[in-house]
Amino acid sequence: MSTLQAVRYSRGKLEVLDQLRLPHEFHYDDVSTRQEAFDSIATMRVRGAPAIAIVASLGLAVELYKGPVPGNTSQQVIAHIDEALDYLKQSRPTAVDLTNAITQLKARIRSSGETKESVIDGFISEAEQIFEKDLKTNLAIGDYGAEWLKAQVGATSDNTASVLTHCNTGSLATSGHGTALGIIRTLQANGQLRHAFCTETRPYNQGSRLTAFELVHEGIPSTLITDSMAASLFRTKKAEKNIAAVIVGADRVVRNGDTANKIGTYQLAVLAKAHGIKFMVAAPTTSIDLETETGDGIKIEERKREELTQVTGAVIKDDGSVDESSKVRIATADQRIDVWNPAFDVTPAELIDAVVTEKGAVEKGTDGKFDFRNIVPERW
Ligand code: MRU
């Protein structure tokens, strides 16, 4: 079984899987400039908080590697890179991983020596490290998440649990394995998974287009539901529908634990609480934002109306394959209707049972508050 890869990279070459074409078509775009990286992210050909940071960092790394880079002094090159990073930061506003990567990259180029070449080399090495570290991070999140869940559901006769996830947080949203979906992968590898449910995740359908694809690709026992079926599922509590935990990713976890994630996450947390189901956020420390005190300070991206009023369709042939030549935009609503399309919502910390990072699971203290001091002491 081939591993799904959102990003393929070797020094001087970055290829990004066009996720808008999934699950029907597998096509990689070459990304070799900051504009191409920006465009891939803004149009959501690549999406998911860690993958956004990786593509922005590596896209600029390729541009710098290929050159020519204007300026002769290290200071001129630092100014050039700063400007490019500030531009890339505007691509999507809610996920904080890109901002954290930019802070890291800016610090690195300032300590990379006195020559133009050393600054460029420093940037490229740091971008590559961000990419490489992400996979290790996700594997660790998988282990900590599986361990945390085991402690919660240890009482079941066979130690397995059914879970629900939302949006896509798998290999397609990261450098590999994934965060929330990574925990599901690890549960499956450990024999701890009974069944995985994934939501469709309207309006962009990251669940049905991407997560369902990843689950099927890996042979994980799984079922797709629409977002509006979650309450009924939670109430069922029979056989594989007895959901032990909701596991979601994060675009930004702020200082008090409030978490921005894909629109629809908040309602799942409310429903989980009402049905006695654990609610777990899986987030690398790069998704933690200590600069922002509460969820009220998070900027929520609003996207274009067409995501609600139109879909892309294609004819399915008798053999089940897609007729590429038949691609059309289909109206799903009156095109004149007013639309509100926030891409994310904020789940209040009180609804979250654990934030699982690559450094361990964090639960609320006796004061009912999250404290990330031990997880990111260097940023506290
Ligand atoms: O709009 P998207 O597809 O970029 O939203 C993605 C999510 O909300 C994910 O849950 C989050 O980025 C975590 S990905 C590991």
Side-chain angles (χ1 to χ4, degrees):
M1 179 178 43
S2 63
T3 314
L4 291 170
Q5 277 183 294
V7 170
R8 294 199 297 221
Y9 174 81
S10 57
R11 194 166 279 200
K13 187 164 178 63
L14 172 64
E15 292 173 294
V16 178
L17 182 64
D18 180 351
Q19 299 188 25
L20 295 178
R21 302 194 195 196
L22 291 175
H24 309 304
E25 228 187 309
F26 237 76
H27 175 87
Y28 282 87
D29 295 320
D30 271 319
V31 172
S32 56
T33 64
R34 77 186 74 170
Q35 289 85 1
E36 285 169 0
F38 184 103
D39 200 42
S40 287
I41 297 166
T43 57
M44 288 176 68
R45 293 202 293 279
V46 63
R47 27 64 50 204
I52 289 169
I54 288 165
V55 168
S57 307
L58 291 179
L60 184 54
V62 173
E63 178 183 299
L64 294 170
Y65 180 83
K66 292 196 160 175
V69 178
N72 296 316
T73 66
S74 61
Q75 285 314 312
Q76 285 168 331
V77 177
I78 288 173
H80 174 74
I81 294 176
D82 279 356
E83 189 199 333
L85 289 172
D86 293 342
Y87 163 76
L88 284 161
K89 192 177 171 185
Q90 306 307 316
S91 54
R92 289 193 74 193
T94 303
V96 77
D97 299 55
L98 176 55
T99 305
N100 283 333
I102 288 173
T103 305
Q104 191 178 328
L105 289 160
K106 283 189 175 178
R108 174 68 185 262
I109 56 176
R110 282 165 173 74
S111 61
S112 289
E114 297 301 318
T115 67
K116 172 177 179 172
E117 289 71 28
S118 64
V119 171
I120 294 172
D121 282 353
F123 182 93
I124 294 172
S125 305
E126 195 70 22
E128 289 172 350
Q129 272 173 37
I130 287 171
F131 179 44
E132 281 156 24
K133 192 169 169 237
D134 186 60
L135 182 58
K136 293 188 194 117
T137 293
N138 296 335
L139 292 169
I141 289 174
D143 289 341
Y144 282 120
E147 197 178 287
W148 186 84
L149 196 60
K150 190 173 182 180
Q152 310 300 313
V153 298
T156 62
S157 55
D158 61 355
N159 268 328
T160 62
S162 286
V163 298
L164 172 90
T165 192
H166 187 57
C167 195
N168 174 265
T169 59
S171 294
L172 295 170
T174 62
S175 61
H177 196 69
T179 58
L181 192 47
I183 294 175
I184 293 174
R185 279 198 165 91
T186 304
L187 289 171
Q188 166 75 356
N190 293 352
Q192 279 176 263
L193 183 73
R194 184 163 192 191
H195 203 83
F197 286 83
C198 66
T199 55
E200 187 182 28
T201 319
R202 284 285 293 148
Y204 219 69
N205 294 334
Q206 288 93 332
S208 54
R209 282 190 304 111
L210 309 178
T211 300
F213 179 61
E214 290 203 39
L215 289 166
V216 170
H217 183 80
E218 303 237 340
I220 294 176
S222 49
T223 299
L224 172 68
I225 62 167
T226 68
D227 302 358
S228 50
M229 292 170 189
S232 291
L233 175 68
F234 291 172
R235 200 176 166 82
T236 303
K237 300 211 183 279
K238 284 204 190 97
E240 82 278 2
K241 294 193 184 67
N242 188 9
I243 304 294
V246 175
I247 312 179
V248 296
D251 288 86
R252 190 180 290 249
V253 180
V254 298
R255 208 174 178 97
N256 75 343
D258 289 352
T259 296
N261 191 49
K262 180 52 54 195
I263 190 76
T265 302
Y266 175 30
Q267 69 195 21
L268 290 173
V270 172
L271 289 172
K273 180 68 95 195
H275 293 84
I277 290 168
K278 295 289 174 193
F279 193 87
M280 190 199 307
V281 170
T285 51
T286 52
S287 302
I288 296 178
D289 168 14
L290 294 179
E291 310 288 309
T292 307
E293 290 294 332
T294 74
D296 292 341
I298 302 175
K299 181 169 178 359
I300 300 292
E301 174 186 9
E302 293 196 16
R303 296 190 61 86
K304 59 183 185 187
R305 49 180 287 113
E306 287 78 12
E307 289 177 7
L308 267 77
T309 61
Q310 300 176 7
V311 289
T312 303
V315 170
I316 300 181
K317 295 192 262 188
D318 288 344
D319 65 359
S321 64
V322 169
D323 178 357
E324 294 301 337
S325 63
S326 72
K327 283 250 177 83
V328 278
R329 298 282 307 156
I330 297 168
T332 55
D334 189 312
Q335 298 298 293
R336 296 163 303 179
I337 187 71
D338 188 28
V339 165
W340 180 48
N341 184 15
F344 304 96
D345 58 26
V346 176
T347 300
E350 62 258 31
L351 296 176
I352 299 169
D353 293 300
V355 177
V356 179
T357 74
E358 74 276 20
K359 296 188 182 166
V362 186
E363 294 180 353
K364 281 171 282 197
T366 45
D367 58 356
K369 295 196 170 128
F370 281 107
D371 182 347
F372 299 110
R373 202 179 311 242
N374 296 329
I375 295 291
V376 276
E378 69 286 1
R379 285 199 264 137
W380 190 257

